[in-house]
């Protein structure tokens, strides 16, 4: 069943890393409010196809999958070309794709540093640069970057991830000022710990440690993030 605002029916969104977790929740939330959604994935092809098919059948909007490793500038260019060829434009970009490769700094490899920076920061840059070109032509656009609270407060063992997310926050602020007069907004959502596959594998002791730092004493839910992203969209 389609629910939502009729004025959103001609909006076209790309959600990167949308096959699972936060990205999947966001894609469903946008589709449920009448926004057409392209589902980007790197390796989770079956999950992405299942999600896209479900969106098409359930919400009455257009959805298709597009494979790309966002850390590759060339693959991002090909992905954006496919979306523009299909829809003619892109109105909403959700930069959600991200990875972690945790290790203490003294043991962190160059590869672990480069991989995380490549996906989380460079991927956000490549996708935003490409999407903004379309948004500038139509003089309307929304870019929402998914950051992390660790990009604000830091976290031991995550110097690469923290650096990437802190940089995304700075990137967001700069680009927002560049394009604001063109009716394009750029925002960053910085989730804390959520009820996802990642937190599900934590030990009771680990959960207790992280919960002690959260005033409400509970992990956030995926809807907390997807509802905010919908509002910003």
């Amino acid at each position: 069943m389609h629910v939502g605002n009729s004025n959103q029916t001609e909006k076209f969104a790309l959600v990167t890393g949308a096959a699972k977790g936060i990205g999947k929740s966001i894609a469903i939330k946008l589709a449920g409010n009448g926004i057409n959604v392209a589902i980007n994935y790197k390796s989770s092809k079956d999950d992405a196809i299942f999600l896209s098919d479900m969106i098409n059948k359930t919400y009455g909007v257009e959805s298709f999958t597009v494979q790309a490793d966002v850390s590759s500038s060339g693959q991002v260019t090909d992905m954006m070309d496919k979306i523009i060829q299909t829809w003619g434009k892109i109105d909403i970009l959700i930069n959600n794709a991200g990875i972690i490769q945790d290790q203490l700094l003294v043991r962190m490899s160059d590869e672990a540093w480069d991989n995380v920076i490549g996906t989380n920061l460079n991927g956000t840059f490549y996708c935003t640069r490409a999407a903004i070109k379309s948004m500038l032509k139509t003089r309307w656009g929304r870019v929402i970057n998914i950051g992390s609270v660790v990009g604000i407060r830091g976290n031991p063992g995550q110097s690469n991830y923290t650096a990437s997310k802190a940089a995304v926050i700075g990137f967001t602020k700069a680009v927002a000022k560049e394009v604001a007069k063109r009716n394009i907004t750029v925002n960053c959502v910085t989730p804390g710990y959520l009820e996802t596959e990642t937190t599900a594998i934590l030990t009771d002791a680990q959960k207790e440690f992280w919960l002690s730092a959260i005033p409400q004493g509970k992990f956030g839910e995926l809807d907390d993030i997807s509802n905010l992203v919908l509002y910003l969209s």
Side-chain angles (χ1 to χ4, degrees):
M1 180 180 68
H2 166 64
V3 292
N5 300 322
S6 59
N7 66 347
Q8 292 289 357
T9 54
E10 293 305 315
K11 298 300 183 188
F12 301 95
L14 166 64
V15 183
T16 66
K20 299 179 180 179
I22 294 174
K24 177 180 179 180
S25 176
I26 291 170
I28 292 172
K29 184 69 65 173
L30 295 179
N33 284 267
I35 300 172
N36 305 289
V37 186
I39 306 297
N40 161 257
Y41 69 95
K42 178 183 177 182
S43 57
S44 301
K45 182 178 180 178
D46 291 344
D47 292 321
I49 292 173
F50 180 84
L51 174 61
S52 182
D53 288 345
M54 185 276 287
I55 286 174
N56 279 317
K57 293 174 183 176
T58 306
Y59 298 109
V61 297
E62 293 181 38
S63 179
F64 65 94
T65 63
V66 57
Q67 194 278 334
D69 179 351
V70 298
S71 70
S72 165
S73 177
Q75 290 189 36
V76 168
T77 297
D78 291 342
M79 173 174 65
M80 291 298 181
D81 286 346
K82 180 179 179 180
I83 293 171
I84 297 299
Q85 288 168 7
T86 303
W87 283 335
K89 63 174 181 172
I90 178 169
D91 302 297
I92 300 164
L93 170 65
I94 314 298
N95 283 308
N96 168 74
I99 62 171
I100 57 172
Q101 291 187 9
D102 296 350
Q103 186 57 269
L104 294 175
L105 179 64
V106 294
R107 297 175 185 166
M108 184 172 292
S109 65
D110 292 353
E111 184 180 23
W113 177 271
D114 291 340
N115 287 345
V116 171
I117 296 296
T119 297
N120 300 3
L121 177 58
N122 295 349
T124 298
F125 161 61
Y126 296 144
C127 291
T128 304
R129 179 178 61 181
I132 286 286
K133 292 177 182 178
S134 173
M135 296 174 184
L136 288 171
K137 291 178 181 178
T138 59
R139 297 186 70 86
W140 194 95
R142 300 289 181 262
V143 178
I144 297 101
N145 301 320
I146 306 301
S148 170
V149 69
V150 304
I152 300 171
R153 71 184 187 197
N155 203 33
Q158 290 192 313
S159 57
N160 51 0
Y161 185 75
T162 297
S164 72
K165 293 302 186 178
V168 165
I169 293 172
F171 173 81
T172 301
K173 293 176 179 179
V175 179
K177 292 183 177 181
E178 287 186 21
V179 298
K181 291 183 179 179
R182 301 295 185 91
N183 203 26
I184 301 169
T185 63
V186 187
N187 288 282
C188 185
V189 177
T190 55
Y193 282 88
L194 304 174
E195 291 282 5
T196 64
E197 296 173 2
T198 304
T199 54
I201 63 174
L202 295 176
T203 66
D204 289 341
Q206 289 173 319
K207 288 182 179 179
E208 189 173 328
F209 174 78
W210 292 117
L211 286 171
S212 68
I214 302 173
Q216 285 193 327
K218 68 181 183 68
F219 292 128
E221 299 176 1
L222 291 174
D223 265 359
D224 296 332
I225 306 305
S226 57
N227 282 328
L228 178 54
V229 169
L230 174 64
Y231 171 76
L232 294 171
S233 297

